[in-house]
Amino acid sequence: MTIKLSEKAQQQIQLYDDHIVGGFTPYPLPLTKALNAKVWDIDGNEYIDFISFFAVANMGHSHPKIVKASVDAIQNGALINTAFLSPSYGQLGATINKVLGYPKTVCMLSGADATDTAAKIARKWGYKKKNIPKDKAFILTTSACYHGITISTHSMASKKDESFGPYLPSVGPVSPSGIEVVFDDLESLEKALEKDHSTIAGFMVETIQGSAGIIDASEGYIKKAYELCQKYNVLFIADEVQTGLGRAGYPLMSVALGAKPDLVCLGKALGGAVAPISAVIGTNEVMSIVDGGDIGSTMAANPPATEAAIAALNVLVDEDICGQSLKKGKLLRELIMKEKILEIDHVSGSGVMAALAFKTDLTDDRFNGRRLAALCAENGLLVIPGGGGKRLRICPPATISEDELEKGVKILADCCRKLRSIEGAILGKY
Ligand SMILES: Cc1ncc(COP(=O)(O)O)c(C=O)c1O
């Protein structure tokens, strides 16, 4: 199948060109409907979803129980925010405690809100509990991390766009005395903590670097990084916005890898692909320093989102989303390797959080993740590039069927074989 867009679709593309800015450079394909692991465009063409829309739809699109919970809340009078008590928010805190083992929760809207909030909590903890001198509390991150693109969260990254400076001081992968903490490198972390622990309040890390292109850490890295943080009285903050809630095969991957984070950031799948909601969850000891007015947002913890999150967590448990993620992830990897695609070096990630890592000497202007994703879309499969085009991110819903996985991998393999023979742009500018 090669998708040809209708006049109606072209009009939608024109509306974007005329009126919309920003976003993550979307491929020009107007999509209007999604159910479990299938997506349809405005012309009714069907696609298999291998992206879960940036690793959000862990439980599938439009899961009936999650949709019902959220719609019921909307019909009941949607807006009860933190001006008064919302029983649904209290219930969400209790559900998080039951499912994820963290007694305290504060909700926000986006993943970037959650990482920003975790940094705030860690700084306050640094002053109140660790006695860091005024204005010296530092939040350490790692090279190539991604915690969002607001001013504060982008400040945590190693590569910054010069258009938006000056960035927030005292956050990022370079410690106060100038030691760069490289992801998956314990030595650099230990050096930074040894030298600067007295002012470092928290260390924030992804267990698998998602936006960098699904980059794995070596075995033992997360556990040892956690132990180093304990040794130096630095909060260990797991950014599980992407890896958590079944995406990588576990409720919380950091915990599965042997860490006991002081704070965990959640987002994406927390709203069950229905409503925007994120959270920082944490231990009593750390969260006890949060006072009224410290953290909040007008639309945070709104019942349509908190009900969606409660339902999503119940689906996580009742439908064994983690088990499904590990099982489908294994099959996905087997199917891909069976295709013996020349350009693929290895498949990274865990569960249904995966990426094809291409052989760098075989990626070029003709064969790269961006063009491959464009060709796959034209052939009915949604995937996205990563790692500057050297990778292809594959993150289907954990609820995808084995048949859809097989069909998707077939399309992917055919597109890999065809890609080099195609001249010029395929979809949009790629
Ligand atoms: C690990 C991680 N943290 C934070 C974020 C930011 O989330 P959001 O895009 O919802 O702000 C992302 C988004 O991709 C992420 O992968």
Side-chain angles (χ1 to χ4, degrees):
M1 168 183 70
T2 302
I3 285 155
K4 289 277 164 267
L5 293 178
S6 67
E7 186 63 26
K8 198 161 59 169
Q10 300 296 348
Q11 280 166 8
Q12 295 303 316
I13 295 167
Q14 193 60 49
L15 282 181
Y16 257 62
D17 286 348
D18 291 346
H19 302 296
I20 303 296
V21 300
F24 295 104
T25 50
Y27 282 98
L29 198 57
L31 304 175
T32 52
K33 184 176 153 186
L35 279 179
N36 196 25
K38 286 212 177 86
V39 179
W40 288 266
D41 69 22
I42 198 166
D43 296 324
N45 297 305
E46 189 177 290
Y47 303 81
I48 296 171
D49 180 12
F50 268 20
I51 61 170
S52 300
F53 289 81
F54 296 132
V56 171
N58 300 4
M59 299 95 189
H61 293 280
S62 308
H63 189 295
K65 287 187 178 158
I66 305 173
V67 170
K68 182 173 186 317
S70 190
V71 167
D72 284 354
I74 291 169
Q75 284 173 340
N76 271 336
L79 186 65
I80 299 159
N81 59 18
T82 55
F84 287 86
L85 297 193
S86 157
S88 173
Y89 192 16
Q91 185 56 46
L92 175 58
T95 308
I96 285 175
N97 189 27
K98 192 169 121 208
V99 176
L100 303 174
Y102 280 87
K104 290 289 197 300
T105 288
V106 58
C107 281
M108 294 292 278
L109 290 157
S110 69
D113 286 345
T115 53
D116 177 276
T117 295
K120 274 181 84 174
I121 296 172
R123 279 188 170 181
K124 188 166 178 188
W125 174 88
Y127 298 123
K128 294 264 172 199
K129 301 274 181 171
K130 190 170 165 172
N131 296 322
I132 294 176
K134 185 171 176 288
D135 287 342
K136 292 285 178 214
F138 194 98
I139 305 298
L140 192 63
T141 61
T142 63
S143 61
C145 64
Y146 185 87
H147 302 294
I149 50 166
T150 59
I151 288 275
S152 68
T153 56
H154 194 43
S155 302
M156 299 173 188
S158 44
K159 249 213 235 145
K160 296 187 196 63
D161 187 323
E162 287 177 8
S163 325
F164 307 112
Y167 286 98
L168 190 72
S170 298
V171 295
V174 181
S175 79
S177 59
I179 298 158
E180 193 195 356
V181 175
V182 175
F183 180 70
D184 197 25
D185 174 21
L186 286 166
E187 210 179 302
S188 62
L189 177 62
E190 178 142 35
K191 265 194 203 148
L193 293 180
E194 200 173 20
K195 188 100 183 25
D196 293 320
H197 63 90
S198 63
T199 57
I200 297 175
F203 171 60
M204 188 182 294
V205 67
E206 297 160 88
T207 50
I208 298 171
Q209 287 194 318
S211 294
I214 320 269
I215 311 288
D216 295 309
S218 315
E219 212 184 313
Y221 170 72
I222 290 295
K223 183 163 189 274
K224 291 201 183 106
Y226 164 68
E227 286 164 358
L228 283 174
C229 286
Q230 281 208 306
K231 177 174 166 191
Y232 290 104
N233 193 25
V234 165
L235 296 183
F236 185 87
I237 308 167
D239 181 352
E240 298 247 18
V241 166
Q242 188 158 166
T243 46
L245 307 179
R247 172 56 47 195
Y250 307 94
L252 298 177
M253 198 182 188
S254 50
V255 173
L257 294 175
K260 288 192 194 119
D262 301 285
L263 295 172
V264 180
C265 304
L266 297 173
K268 294 194 188 270
L270 184 59
V274 166
I277 183 166
S278 64
V280 176
I281 62 177
T283 59
N284 279 317
E285 196 265 330
V286 176
M287 296 294 251
S288 66
I289 54 99
V290 178
D291 290 315
D294 281 358
I295 292 152
S297 177
T298 305
M299 294 303 285
N302 200 10
T306 50
E307 284 298 310
I310 294 166
L313 288 164
N314 287 334
V315 168
L316 181 83
V317 176
D318 297 345
E319 297 184 17
D320 188 20
I321 294 297
C322 297
Q324 290 204 57
S325 172
L326 291 174
K327 186 170 166 225
K328 313 282 172 66
K330 183 167 175 278
L331 177 62
L332 174 74
R333 287 165 178 79
E334 283 166 9
L335 290 168
I336 291 169
M337 293 327 280
K338 245 210 254 140
E339 292 289 342
K340 297 197 183 342
I341 298 159
L342 181 69
E343 287 85 358
I344 296 177
D345 184 62
H346 65 279
V347 184
S348 66
S350 171
V352 284
M353 181 171 178
L356 305 185
F358 299 125
K359 292 176 186 150
T360 39
D361 55 334
L362 294 183
T363 46
D364 49 36
D365 288 351
R366 276 280 174 104
F367 191 101
N368 58 58
R370 294 192 188 97
R371 273 170 52 87
L372 182 57
L375 188 60
C376 286
E378 272 217 328
N379 285 276
L381 176 71
L382 304 182
V383 281
I384 44 171
K390 306 261 184 238
R391 288 175 170 249
L392 192 83
R393 288 161 69 184
I394 303 181
C395 294
T399 50
I400 192 169
S401 71
E402 296 189 356
D403 182 51
E404 285 161 338
L405 269 182
E406 274 174 34
K407 281 189 185 138
V409 171
K410 270 268 161 284
I411 296 173
L412 181 64
D414 286 349
C415 289
C416 281
R417 295 193 179 100
K418 254 191 255 163
L419 188 60
R420 233 175 250 292
S421 65
I422 298 174
E423 262 183 70
I426 298 165
L427 187 62
K429 60 181 175 168
Y430 301 120

